[in-house]
Amino acid sequence: MKHTCSTNDLGCLKFNKRREIMGWNTVERNWKELKGKLKETWGDMTDDELNVIAGKRERLVGKIQTKYEVAKEDAERQVNAFAHDCDSC
């Protein structure tokens, strides 16, 4: 059964934020091992750019914004999806 909640449900918002942080912690902890998957997802990223980002979420969001010319919200959605996928890495 899939869980759904309203945008006003503070418990769900806290759960989703905690899940997002846990997912990013996995990415940050395994940054070097995930470089290949990062390059598959964002093919125009160079090794030097990934080294500068060094697992920092906000740096990755900013680089995606500038390199792919997308809004911050879209870049954050992409990063969240990547982190969610890496929960099972």
Side-chain angles (χ1 to χ4, degrees):
M1 178 179 197
K2 185 174 181 171
H3 175 74
T4 59
C5 63
S6 72
T7 56
N8 295 328
D9 188 342
L10 187 57
C12 280
L13 294 175
K14 286 181 180 178
F15 172 79
N16 288 333
K17 186 66 175 174
R18 187 170 53 243
R19 186 173 177 194
E20 176 185 319
I21 291 168
M22 287 172 53
W24 190 256
N25 286 341
T26 301
V27 173
E28 193 170 16
R29 190 173 45 252
N30 298 305
W31 186 255
K32 289 181 181 180
E33 292 81 15
L34 291 172
K35 279 187 182 178
K37 187 168 181 165
L38 285 153
K39 288 180 93 172
E40 285 176 20
T41 304
W42 297 286
D44 293 337
M45 293 277 186
T46 66
D47 286 331
D48 288 340
E49 289 170 328
L50 293 173
N51 288 336
V52 169
I53 293 167
K56 302 301 179 201
R57 186 182 184 283
E58 288 304 314
R59 288 183 193 171
L60 180 58
V61 168
K63 182 54 74 175
I64 292 168
Q65 277 183 264
T66 57
K67 194 161 191 94
Y68 294 94
E69 298 178 354
V70 298
K72 182 176 183 176
E73 294 79 18
D74 188 35
E76 287 181 344
R77 274 192 293 276
Q78 291 179 36
V79 169
N80 289 343
F82 181 84
H84 177 68
D85 289 346
C86 287
D87 269 346
S88 60
C89 292

